[in-house]
Amino acid sequence: MKIKIASYAGFCFGVERAMDMAWNKLEENSKVYSLGPLIHNRQAVKKYEDKGLKVIESLEEANDNSKIIIRSHGVPLKVYEESKEKGMEIIDATCPFVKKIQDIANKYYNKGYKIIIIGDSSHPEVIGINGWCNNEAIIVKNIEDLDNIHRNYKKYCVVAQTTMNLKVYEEITKKLNEILDNVEFYNTICSATRERQKAARDLSKEVDAMIVIGGKHSSNTQKLVQICSENTITYHVETIDDLELDKLKKYSFIGITAGASTPKWIIEEVVSSVEKL
Ligand code: F3S
């Protein structure tokens, strides 16, 4: 049996960096807080909690002078200020690509621009970016949101959530260009999601069956499952325990991919079990 892993699978650069930073800190100190779960993967969260990570929903839950890790999505400016007031050590694992967006929002806000964020207003990354322009950004998720947009500002600066769909982004920016004057656009979409989807699509066309590894509730994993199912029979598993190895024996070529929040060790467990077939 031949096995091939998609050329892009599992953690993106920013998530891997954040997970490594958290792990290294836990190795030297037994207790670190994380504002919100580091990642949407039950097995990974459990492993980090066993090592001493404590997930909290607000800074009030953290002890003064303790350590806090900021996850890859980033946080509003006020979280840094409040953490400092509490004497906390900040381990800043904000993805550098997200940090760049926060800097753009902050710089242009201070220069008097109205910030427009193309993205989902309830997503932590967008909440974080908005917190760098005094929570005054206009947030648009789709073309319909432009119907009621205020046109009375002198100048605008547009940024996008890193995981925004490129087609929707282009549709919105085209319309913004038509209806507003003095607009600066920054396409801040990160290519990691697109690369993973393309690699999964390409591989699923080559193989007899695909295994997609990732949380049942992870939306990017579900998207990979959907893409692969369009081309071949696809098995979605969270861990090796979900995999019915007997069913795979009939295939001669199996492809494997994983969602952006699937740790390497879970991927390796699946790969080595399939290899034994
Ligand atoms: Fe960063 Fe892109 Fe991942 S913005 S967290 S590398 S999806």
Side-chain angles (χ1 to χ4, degrees), residues 12-15 72 95 97-98 162-163 190 192-193:
C12 61
F13 153 78
V15 170
S72 56
C95 174
F97 300 134
V98 175
T162 53
T163 47
C190 170
T193 314

Side-chain angles (χ1 to χ4, degrees), residues 5-273:
I5 302 169
S7 46
Y8 295 97
F11 284 175
C12 61
F13 153 78
V15 170
E16 180 149 27
R17 178 175 170 273
M19 297 301 279
D20 285 349
M21 284 172 82
W23 192 258
N24 292 342
K25 208 68 203 173
L26 288 165
E27 296 248 76
E28 63 184 61
N29 185 288
S30 59
K31 192 162 182 192
V32 179
Y33 290 104
S34 146
L35 208 46
L38 267 186
I39 193 176
H40 289 119
N41 181 286
R42 283 188 298 138
Q43 294 77 15
V45 168
K46 170 92 178 50
K47 189 173 167 183
Y48 277 68
E49 281 176 347
D50 290 347
K51 188 97 178 150
L53 188 78
K54 185 155 172 34
V55 179
I56 52 172
E57 292 310 317
S58 90
L59 278 180
E60 284 154 26
E61 295 171 52
N63 296 335
D64 287 357
N65 306 313
S66 52
K67 295 176 169 54
I68 184 147
I69 179 142
I70 293 176
R71 54 194 181 158
S72 56
H73 301 311
V75 290
L77 174 61
K78 78 168 185 339
V79 173
Y80 289 86
E81 293 167 350
E82 287 170 12
S83 307
K84 278 183 199 146
E85 275 166 29
K86 278 170 80 74
M88 299 179 84
E89 180 191 332
I90 301 170
I91 302 119
D92 192 354
T94 307
C95 174
F97 300 134
V98 175
K99 187 86 223 148
K100 191 177 139 205
I101 310 175
Q102 295 173 344
D103 290 344
I104 294 169
N106 190 248
K107 179 174 139 193
Y108 279 86
Y109 172 77
N110 289 329
K111 287 206 274 182
Y113 283 71
K114 187 70 182 170
I115 308 297
I116 298 177
I117 307 170
I118 302 178
D120 177 355
S121 59
S122 63
H123 192 284
E125 180 190 318
V126 173
I127 295 170
I129 297 166
N130 198 11
W132 287 81
C133 52
N134 209 25
N135 298 310
E136 290 174 17
I138 298 171
I139 302 171
V140 290
K141 193 178 178 184
N142 48 45
I143 198 90
E144 289 77 38
D145 288 344
L146 298 183
D147 293 346
N148 305 317
I149 200 162
H150 289 286
R151 302 177 192 196
N152 46 349
Y153 299 97
K154 282 202 187 79
K155 43 195 184 176
Y156 298 83
C157 171
V158 181
V159 293
Q161 184 179 338
T162 53
T163 47
M164 190 70 201
N165 177 299
L166 182 64
K167 233 172 103 191
V168 179
Y169 169 84
E170 284 172 348
E171 199 185 22
I172 293 174
T173 49
K174 185 168 173 267
K175 182 88 195 261
L176 282 172
N177 225 349
E178 285 165 17
I179 60 175
L180 301 177
D181 295 323
N182 297 320
V183 198
E184 300 251 2
F185 292 98
Y186 285 90
N187 178 351
T188 49
I189 297 175
C190 170
S191 57
T193 314
R194 238 176 313 140
E195 284 166 352
R196 266 150 194 70
Q197 292 178 0
K198 183 177 182 309
R201 183 175 294 114
D202 291 349
L203 183 57
S204 63
K205 286 178 186 163
E206 273 182 62
V207 298
D208 303 324
M210 280 295 293
I211 301 171
V212 180
I213 316 162
K216 297 278 184 205
H217 303 291
S218 148
S219 63
N220 77 82
T221 304
Q222 282 165 5
K223 183 81 190 156
L224 292 177
V225 173
Q226 185 207 323
I227 289 170
C228 295
S229 312
E230 284 164 14
N231 299 313
T232 190
I233 178 138
T234 300
Y235 299 92
H236 178 190
V237 298
E238 268 196 6
T239 67
I240 181 64
D241 299 337
D242 301 336
L243 199 60
E244 293 178 73
L245 290 164
D246 278 348
K247 281 193 180 167
L248 303 177
K249 285 183 182 155
K250 57 178 180 277
Y251 304 114
S252 51
F253 190 6
I254 291 185
I256 299 178
T257 188
S261 50
T262 309
K264 222 183 278 170
W265 87 82
I266 293 183
I267 303 175
E268 282 166 0
E269 267 176 5
V270 172
V271 173
S272 74
S273 303

